[in-house]
Amino acid sequence: MKAAFPYRTAVQDGGFASLRGALERTRRGSTALMAVTGPPGSGRSAFLDAAAELAAQEGLAVRRAQASRLEQGVGAGLVEQLLRSAADVAALRPAGRTDAAAPMTFLVDDVQWADEVSLAWLARLLADPESVPVLLVVAVCEGEADTELPAVQDLLTRVDHLVRMAPLDVADVRALLAERGIVLSEESARSWTEATAGNPAWLASLSGRLEAGERLTRAGLLATARSRPVPWPLKARVAAALSGHSESVRRLAHCAAVLDGSADGRTLARLAHLQPNEAADAARALLRLGWAADRRAPPVLWDCVREIAEDSLSLADWTELHRRAATLLGAAGAPAERIVPHLLETGPGEWPEAAWLLRRAADDARCRGDVELATRCLRRALREFSPDSPQRGEFLLALADVEQDLDTSATLRHVAQAVPLLDPGHARAAAVSRVPLTLFVAAPRAVAEALSSARTPDAEPPHDAEVAESRLRLEARVRLSGLASPNAAGDAVRRLRELAPGPGPGTPAQRELVSVLVFAGTLGRELPAAEAATLVRWMLDHEPASTASGYAASALMIASGIAAEAEAPVRSWLDAAVDAATRRGDERQRTRLLGWRALAALSSGRLADAWMDALEACAAGPGTLGDSDWLAVWGLVSVAVATGDAGWAGRLHGLLDESPVSGLPVRSFAGKVLGHLLNPHPEPSEAAAELVETARRAEAAGWCSQALSPVDLWCVPLLLCGGDRKPALGLLAHACDRARAFGSPNELGRVLRVWGTVVHGRYALSLFAESVAVLREGTDVLELGRALRGYGTRLRAAGRPGSAELLAEADRIADEAGAPLLRCWTASLGAELRGVVPPGGGGLSDTERWVAALVALGHTNQDTARSLGVTRRAVEKTLTRLYRRLDVAGRAELAPVVRRMAGEAAFRSGVLSLNF
């Protein structure tokens, strides 16, 4: 494989100066021999390319040959390449030679592989007084065994000029990569130089493994390139360099590559089955090639040698090599990270300490954030145990813990397999209690049965505090996995009354169990909203927001608090939790919390806050949310439904499509809801039936509640559009009964308001009146504004008194709601949100909305123009158009009108506004 020629280095080393001098003397009638040496890939062939170009410029005839190990036995094979015709022979020894005879340049690459006849001919040519002046330039690979052959050495003793190709320095590497479209900082260029030892061939190989688009970024380029297979030409060249050496040299090279790091000479020799003197000789042979076996330098070369070793050995030999490497490294006291890669390549039962070493490596990998490696280590460790081993159960639980963010269904499967293997009693309960709590939401039946088998009869209270805590944690998991049971909610409330939590903080295990019981009672509507809100406040008061986790009791507490309308404690706790996750740089947890907070804000009528949180959550990108993040996913879906914006729904749909899949049905449910917003079903009644059925299944599974996701109400407009009035009224009646029993003002008031919108006459007025009265006791101000607007409009149409006061109050709420919505209007600036209409902004174009919001928020025309990237004149034209369209005299009147407009538009936004 030819490397790009390092011109600057050659000039600095005097290589070009020597070449020019030799060409000049040859042109004047002298014959000379120049040798170019260097390790494989150092640029010898590229130097010959430059020599050919310069010789042609000087008017010399140029002939070139490439020696090959395969042709060493072919007599005069090299001569035939140089003298391809009778004319070449005649030009070399013209009849009646004169001083005007044209000089020639012969270039021979890899001369150490030339056949003996050709080498003898070259030696005679240099001493032949009858030949024309000749400059013979030969390239010799250092470290090749054939370089020591007598015929090669005899030729090299005649050298007049010697050029040794030096490695590239950091500046050369940086310049060479820049020519290939890879622009690096000095620090990155230094890393590339260390990885390749400044070898041009290794550099060319690495850069060639990167796609054109990847070269535009600096992040992780070296690691990306090294992770890909070595190109075949380079692998063939390195294999050829090794093949010329003895078996001991090749074996040492393979073992050094497999050890993948520094190793003492004794360990390396034992792995290669070599005596110390044999290993020393082999190491010196490799060092002559520029390869340091004891410190694996340069690393990129040894990556190549490792692939060669794997290709050349059988699977059995390759596995045995890794087994012996693990054993020798363990005996030498090497750290776990050096041993584990070899264990991953071997089968079970080869080393007694393998499982525990792999467990430690998995823990370290997880701490570093390398979940994939941790999973591989634990899966390999499981092969060390028999199918019925208790230790296998422990490792299955560890694997379940690691895989919780990758595949929830696999995690639960591991738990179900592990529990029967563990020792009955406290050991089994303690092991299961370490598995993250919310992984058991809607767990399969097999998991629930396995957890139940882990429980032991509580004949008497445990005297050991640790045993008591394990029992409580196990009970929490059993109850959470059994939410689909018809009696789950009632049993949870009865158990909750037995525990009588508070007023003290209780233990973490007690709070965990109470969270599960409150969640079950709230979703099943067996626990009244007021009692649930009190318990949620108690739990949040004693649960540090800084330790919030998607798999702890936090999600259950927040879900119960939102359903029970415990707005103040939920809002305060979530604000602190989001701040803590931001400070830690925990992007996934922050995304979860933003989804929770969006749902909490939406349930309180703070549409602007909900939209902004959802916007930040979706900015985290694909892969941050999965089915296990059911509460966050549902929060984002609810925002899409509340705004009714197809652009936002499409953005969220794309995010969920690329997120990891697990066992909960939330994503399929969310997909159906978003799909309807994006592509309305041609048969609304069928769409409603499908959504209702999906919601029923989710409720039966125990994770979905009408208090969190009012799917019945979402289906009412669909049924009415399809002409199915009776089923729509049936859904409303059913929802109303459940809301009354639960005692949630926001939920009941919303149902009554929607019902009043659907019917007519005095019945509608009574529904609206009750809706307003109930919502005044709740926290959803936006829903109260909608009810006031609907009630006042119906009263005015009926000619009854009181409409003016109701409509005036609705206007005040619209004004208050409109101010924060203007922040959403300005947040939608930028091409990345094109097509997304912020809440309350559907009545204006993008430009009008942005200008109106910025001006209403107090920005000058110049500031507005700068924010939008337009001229001041363009802003003034847009303002003039807005004044005329909104019938205002100037910017002083624009701000209140725009606020009112945003609030009124928010009243009409979303599916439940019933604007169809």
Side-chain angles (χ1 to χ4, degrees):
M1 178 179 181
K2 293 184 179 180
F5 179 66
Y7 288 103
R8 194 158 63 87
T9 302
V11 172
Q12 290 175 347
D13 291 345
F16 264 12
S18 297
L19 177 61
R20 290 184 184 278
L23 286 169
E24 178 62 24
R25 286 188 291 276
T26 301
R27 196 167 58 81
R28 294 180 179 178
S30 299
T31 293
L33 172 62
M34 172 178 280
V36 184
T37 68
S42 58
R44 303 181 316 278
S45 299
F47 188 94
L48 295 186
D49 293 339
E53 184 178 340
L54 287 177
Q57 292 174 2
E58 294 288 338
L60 277 69
V62 178
R63 300 292 182 271
R64 188 163 182 171
Q66 170 71 56
S68 168
R69 177 177 283 113
L70 297 177
E71 297 182 358
Q72 278 183 300
V74 180
L78 200 67
V79 177
E80 292 178 0
Q81 290 185 54
L82 293 172
L83 305 176
R84 297 183 180 181
S85 65
D88 288 339
V89 177
L92 183 63
R93 301 191 65 182
R97 177 184 170 190
T98 65
D99 291 339
M104 301 185 72
T105 300
F106 286 167
L107 308 174
V108 180
D109 205 353
D110 287 326
V111 74
Q112 73 278 358
W113 290 338
D115 60 274
E116 291 189 5
V117 175
S118 295
L119 288 170
W121 181 84
L122 290 175
R124 290 195 302 271
L125 176 65
L126 295 173
D128 187 356
E130 299 297 326
S131 84
V132 299
V134 172
L135 173 61
L136 175 60
V137 184
V138 297
V140 185
C141 182
E142 292 180 357
E144 287 279 2
D146 292 331
T147 304
E148 305 301 322
L149 293 174
V152 177
Q153 288 296 311
D154 179 62
L155 180 65
L156 295 181
T157 58
R158 306 167 185 265
V159 168
D160 301 301
H161 308 279
L162 179 65
V163 176
R164 188 178 190 281
M165 304 305 297
L168 306 182
D169 59 22
V170 175
D172 293 325
V173 169
R174 197 173 180 184
L176 183 62
L177 292 174
E179 292 176 4
R180 295 172 173 262
I182 304 174
V183 180
L184 300 177
S185 64
E186 184 172 354
E187 182 179 355
S188 297
R190 185 174 293 108
S191 298
W192 281 68
T193 305
E194 292 172 357
T196 61
N199 187 295
W202 313 147
L203 279 167
S205 167
L206 274 181
S207 61
R209 302 177 209 177
L210 298 172
E211 302 292 338
E214 292 175 323
R215 300 183 184 207
L216 301 177
T217 178
R218 299 180 183 183
L221 281 181
L222 180 58
T224 299
R226 288 188 63 183
S227 68
R228 291 174 179 166
V230 177
W232 170 248
L234 177 61
K235 198 187 298 187
R237 182 67 182 85
V238 173
L242 282 173
S243 65
H245 287 278
S246 64
E247 172 64 22
S248 61
V249 174
R250 293 196 297 273
R251 199 186 311 156
L252 188 74
H254 291 171
C255 293
V258 166
L259 285 176
D260 196 25
S262 58
D264 62 272
R266 176 180 173 81
T267 300
L268 187 56
R270 291 181 65 188
L271 183 61
H273 291 295
L274 296 175
Q275 295 298 321
N277 59 329
E278 292 178 308
D281 291 341
R284 283 192 291 270
L286 292 173
L287 197 58
R288 286 194 294 272
L289 286 169
W291 308 350
D294 58 340
R295 58 182 185 276
R296 203 175 185 273
V300 171
L301 164 76
W302 291 103
D303 292 344
C304 180
V305 175
R306 189 180 190 280
E307 287 193 25
I308 293 170
E310 188 171 5
D311 292 343
S312 61
L313 297 176
S314 67
L315 179 60
D317 290 343
W318 180 249
T319 302
E320 172 62 16
L321 186 60
H322 279 288
R323 185 197 66 77
R324 296 188 64 251
T327 303
L328 290 171
L329 288 172
E337 60 266 22
R338 292 281 315 282
I339 303 173
V340 164
H342 303 292
L343 292 177
L344 293 175
E345 298 284 348
T346 63
E350 301 291 352
W351 196 24
E353 299 296 321
W356 311 107
L357 192 68
L358 287 162
R359 175 69 180 270
R360 291 199 302 272
D363 293 341
D364 292 342
R366 191 177 184 193
C367 290
R368 298 193 307 270
D370 192 346
V371 178
E372 183 179 353
L373 177 58
T375 301
R376 287 184 61 205
C377 289
L378 289 172
R379 286 184 178 276
R380 169 61 185 82
L382 286 171
R383 298 169 61 191
E384 295 291 327
F385 302 112
S386 62
D388 56 351
S389 166
Q391 288 88 355
R392 180 179 177 82
E394 291 281 353
F395 275 70
L396 279 168
L397 289 177
L399 181 59
D401 192 25
V402 168
E403 287 195 322
Q404 61 188 12
D405 285 333
L406 298 177
D407 188 345
T408 303
S409 58
T411 297
L412 294 173
R413 187 168 62 250
H414 298 327
V415 172
Q417 293 169 350
V419 170
L421 301 177
L422 302 173
D423 294 331
H426 169 60
R428 184 177 293 185
V432 174
S433 67
R434 294 198 302 269
V435 180
L437 176 67
T438 57
L439 290 179
F440 297 101
V441 176
R445 182 181 298 275
V447 175
E449 292 174 352
L451 289 177
S452 297
S453 71
R455 299 185 69 179
T456 55
D458 299 335
E460 57 183 30
H463 301 291
D464 189 300
E466 182 180 351
V467 173
E469 289 284 284
S470 295
R471 284 188 182 181
L472 291 175
R473 292 186 185 278
L474 178 59
E475 181 184 353
R477 283 152 179 78
V478 171
R479 289 186 178 275
L480 197 58
S481 67
L483 285 181
S485 169
N487 302 321
D491 290 343
V493 173
R494 284 190 289 273
R495 176 65 169 135
L496 191 61
R497 303 271 163 73
E498 291 176 8
L499 286 175
T507 66
Q510 288 173 335
R511 293 198 302 274
E512 190 174 78
L513 177 57
V514 170
S515 297
V516 172
L517 297 174
V518 172
F519 180 73
T522 301
L523 266 66
R525 307 303 183 93
E526 295 286 342
L527 184 67
E531 187 176 349
T534 300
L535 289 168
V536 166
R537 187 177 295 108
W538 170 77
M539 289 185 290
L540 292 178
D541 284 344
H542 298 99
E543 190 73 17
S546 58
T547 62
S549 166
Y551 297 104
S554 313
L556 305 180
M557 290 189 293
I558 296 301
S560 301
I562 293 172
E565 300 177 17
E567 183 201 11
V570 167
R571 184 176 183 178
S572 174
W573 192 91
L574 283 174
D575 288 344
V578 170
D579 290 342
T582 302
R583 288 194 300 271
R584 292 196 308 269
D586 188 344
E587 190 63 29
R588 173 152 192 180
Q589 180 60 16
R590 183 174 182 272
T591 302
R592 285 188 185 119
L593 291 168
L594 287 170
W596 300 0
R597 196 167 70 174
L599 185 59
L602 197 62
S603 70
S604 301
R606 294 181 286 111
L607 184 59
D609 292 343
W611 192 84
M612 294 293 288
D613 280 341
L615 184 68
E616 282 194 66
C618 285
T624 50
L625 292 177
D627 279 352
S628 55
D629 301 308
W630 56 274
L631 187 62
V633 170
W634 201 248
L636 300 181
V637 171
S638 298
V639 172
V641 174
T643 59
D645 177 34
W648 175 254
R651 185 179 176 85
L652 179 55
H653 198 276
L655 175 70
L656 295 181
D657 273 348
E658 300 183 44
S659 299
V661 178
S662 54
L664 287 172
V666 64
R667 236 176 62 186
S668 60
F669 191 9
K672 291 182 186 299
V673 175
L674 296 173
H676 172 69
L677 290 175
L678 289 169
N679 301 296
H681 199 286
E683 296 294 335
S685 298
E686 293 183 13
E690 186 178 359
L691 282 179
V692 168
E693 177 60 27
T694 306
R696 295 291 182 267
R697 287 198 299 268
E699 283 190 89
W703 65 268
C704 180
S705 167
Q706 291 287 331
L708 293 175
S709 48
V711 180
D712 285 358
L713 294 189
W714 295 350
C715 292
V716 168
L718 292 174
L719 291 170
L720 293 174
C721 285
D724 294 327
R725 185 176 179 81
K726 186 175 180 179
L729 293 175
L731 285 179
L732 287 169
H734 182 60
C736 185
D737 291 341
R738 295 198 303 182
R740 286 188 192 280
F742 186 49
S744 163
N746 290 350
E747 183 184 356
L748 178 58
R750 181 174 56 233
V751 174
L752 292 169
R753 193 266 306 169
V754 172
W755 201 347
T757 306
V758 171
V759 299
H760 302 284
R762 282 188 293 182
Y763 187 35
L765 292 177
S766 67
L767 290 171
F768 271 120
E770 185 180 2
S771 173
V772 169
V774 170
L775 287 169
R776 290 191 190 281
E777 302 297 324
T779 59
D780 193 339
V781 180
L782 189 64
E783 189 60 48
L784 175 60
R786 285 174 172 154
L788 289 166
R789 176 72 69 214
Y791 190 21
T793 302
R794 289 294 183 95
L795 283 176
R796 186 173 59 189
R800 295 196 178 192
S803 62
E805 293 82 357
L806 293 172
L807 294 174
E809 186 179 355
D811 288 342
R812 288 195 297 272
I813 292 176
D815 286 339
E816 294 171 1
L821 287 171
L822 296 182
R823 293 187 294 110
C824 302
W825 291 15
T826 59
S828 64
L829 288 168
E832 67 277 5
L833 289 181
R834 194 168 301 281
V836 174
V837 179
L844 301 173
S845 69
D846 286 349
T847 303
E848 289 173 339
R849 184 167 60 246
W850 295 332
V851 170
L854 291 169
V855 170
L857 291 171
H859 292 254
T860 65
N861 289 359
Q862 188 62 46
D863 292 339
T864 301
R866 189 178 301 112
S867 297
L868 298 179
V870 298
T871 64
R872 180 174 177 173
R873 178 62 179 157
V875 171
E876 291 170 351
K877 286 183 177 181
T878 302
L879 278 174
T880 301
R881 189 165 62 250
L882 282 169
Y883 297 156
R884 185 170 57 251
R885 181 173 179 180
L886 301 179
D887 193 23
V888 297
R891 64 193 307 131
E893 296 181 12
L894 180 66
V897 170
V898 169
R899 285 197 302 271
R900 174 77 58 81
M901 176 183 172
E904 290 284 356
F907 286 171
R908 299 188 300 272
S909 68
V911 173
L912 295 186
S913 65
L914 298 187
N915 292 305
F916 52 87

